[in-house]
Structures are given as structure tokens and as C-alpha cells.
Amino acid sequence: MAADGSGAWFPYPAQAADEGSPLLFCLHHGGGGASAFRDWQRLLGPGVEIVPVQLPGREGRLAEPAERSITALTERLTGPLLERAGERPYAFFGHSMGALLAYDLSHALSAAGKPPAHLAVSGYVPPHARPATSVHTLSEEAFLAHVTGLEGTPAAILENPTLLELVLPVLRDDFAACETYAYVERGPLDVPIAVFAGESDPSAPAALTARWADLTAAGASVDVFPGGHFYLQDRLPELLQALRTRLALFPVASQDGGGTP
């Protein structure tokens, strides 16, 4: 196991006004990075501290190899998360690959005696109901076509061979991490799960995403938004409002609109 300093995982300084406020650890999608959550603190305002998590192999950790195992990522991240959270309450938000990692981490931190107060998962079918896929083994042409179809990679990258050469290997590693994840029956989490999905997301149809409820003994909610796999790019204000409603950690928006995106 690699020795990981917490600074690499949490690249942004604390921004919440109250140092004792609850934390929301945000786990990005495959091929993405912590910058996907760069606007969340500003949009949500004080009362909760947004902590984007940076996985190896991208952005400020580009020199490191990407991890091809969700289980290995969980093993590496558990200690830094415990250290970063300290005695403060916290929750997870994960989109796509980040949802699977957040789920696995929720089990690990529950076993360590520090469970999250809430688990929010987005754009991902729960691991016990997810059909087997092998996107990470596709040819370069087929893999690029699949990635393009998800509509989450900027055109500036897709049209630039140099940038594609940097991004596609990380994406393939991330797909491998998800597709080789072996679901193990561990009993339901004692953590409420908030499920978010795009109504036209072919990789996470609503009927399957609703089955996250099978994995918790503490109740689940489901919110579906217009859009596909990356619905949150166009529906971020609605998503953040739903997070306020679903996660007890979040403060209620003030009447004057403070903190409202």
C-alpha cells in the first residue's frame, strides 16, 4: 500500500466560515478531478465545508499512476479521510465512479467507527445490480466513441490529439477500477442514501439506480433530473438544492437567498 499524505487527496484549503461545520467529501467521476467541485462552496455558502477529493493520475497528481482498483483506493483513502474529518460530522457525494468509491468508503469508515452521516450517490447503478461491462477493454476507436457518447468530455479535449493522449489512459484506468469491482455482501449500511440521476442516462437507468435502497437500513431517497449522465453540469443549482433537502448536514437556505445558487 502506498504511503499517502492527506494534502495530496485534499488539494483545496478549507473555505467554510465555521471550522466546526460539517464536511461534504466530494468524489469525482471517472476521468475527472477535484476541480469538478470548484464552485460548490461558493454556491452553497457557509454552514457546510466542501472537500473535493483528488484521486491520483490527474490534475495536481498527474505524475502519479491512476489506481485501477476501487478497493485499493478505499484502502489508501480511509486513513486520510479519518484524519481530515477528525471529530466533525461528514457526508459523501460521489458522481459515477465517485458514487461507487463513496459506497465502498462508507463501509470502510463505518467499520472504523466513523460512519458518514449521509451517502449521496449520483449517476451510478448500485454494485449489486450493475450489469457486467468491459468498456475498459475496448479498442481505442470504440473506447473513444463510448466516452464521446457520455457527453462529459469537453470538445476542446476530444478535438486535441495531445490532450486525448493524456486523458484517455486515465479514463480507461477508471473504467477498469469500476468494472473489476467485486461486490461483496456485507449487510446494509446504517447510513441513509440519497440517490440522484439523469432521466435519460443510458448507463444508470432510474429503475436500477433506485435499487440503492437495497443497500441501506436507514432509508433512501431518489431524485431524477432532466438530462443524461452528466445532468449535473446543466442542473447544478437544482442538484445542490436537493442536496440541502436530502442531507440533514446542510443548513436551510435563508429567506434573503444567502447561499442559494
Side-chain angles (χ1 to χ4, degrees):
M1 184 187 305
D4 296 301
S6 59
W9 298 101
F10 315 119
Y12 300 127
Q15 300 179 60
D18 179 5
E19 292 185 358
S21 60
L23 307 172
L24 181 64
F25 290 108
C26 297
L27 297 157
H28 57 75
H29 59 277
S35 64
F37 305 103
R38 62 183 175 271
D39 294 329
W40 283 36
Q41 188 71 68
R42 175 180 60 81
L43 294 171
L44 285 167
V48 62
E49 183 177 330
I50 302 301
V51 185
V53 177
Q54 187 73 277
L55 301 184
R58 65 214 77 214
E59 296 184 354
R61 304 183 69 179
L62 191 61
E64 302 175 50
E67 184 63 74
R68 291 172 61 91
S69 166
I70 294 295
T71 301
L73 279 170
T74 293
E75 292 173 351
R76 293 176 62 182
L77 247 176
T78 297
L81 284 167
L82 287 170
E83 179 182 352
R84 181 68 177 80
E87 298 302 315
R88 296 162 68 178
Y90 73 94
F92 284 121
F93 174 86
H95 179 66
S96 197
M97 178 182 75
L100 179 60
L101 179 55
Y103 164 75
D104 205 56
L105 283 164
S106 294
H107 271 290
L109 273 80
S110 295
K114 180 71 174 177
H118 221 119
L119 168 61
V121 293
S122 169
Y124 204 81
V125 173
H128 71 303
R130 188 168 175 81
T133 57
S134 54
V135 173
H136 73 283
T137 65
L138 292 174
S139 67
E140 289 297 315
E141 182 179 357
F143 184 73
L144 178 58
H146 182 86
V147 169
T148 302
L150 291 174
E151 299 181 343
T153 305
I157 293 177
L158 293 174
E159 297 169 0
N160 187 316
T162 301
L163 291 178
L164 272 179
E165 189 175 348
L166 291 173
V167 170
L168 287 183
V170 176
L171 264 170
R172 193 181 290 273
D173 287 341
D174 289 347
F175 270 99
C178 294
E179 292 177 332
T180 60
Y181 179 78
Y183 171 72
V184 177
E185 175 58 58
R186 292 177 280 192
L189 287 164
D190 190 21
V191 176
I193 299 179
V195 183
F196 303 98
E199 64 182 3
S200 57
D201 182 353
S203 68
L208 290 180
T209 55
R211 292 196 59 190
W212 279 104
D214 300 344
L215 302 182
T216 176
S221 60
V222 179
D223 290 279
V224 180
F225 300 89
H229 188 60
F230 286 96
Y231 72 90
L232 66 177
Q233 293 180 351
D234 296 320
R235 300 287 174 172
L236 184 56
E238 294 95 323
L239 171 62
L240 295 182
Q241 186 59 52
L243 276 169
R244 285 196 189 93
T245 302
R246 298 301 186 185
L247 276 64
L249 285 172
F250 281 61
V252 176
S254 62
Q255 293 298 315
D256 62 4
T260 302

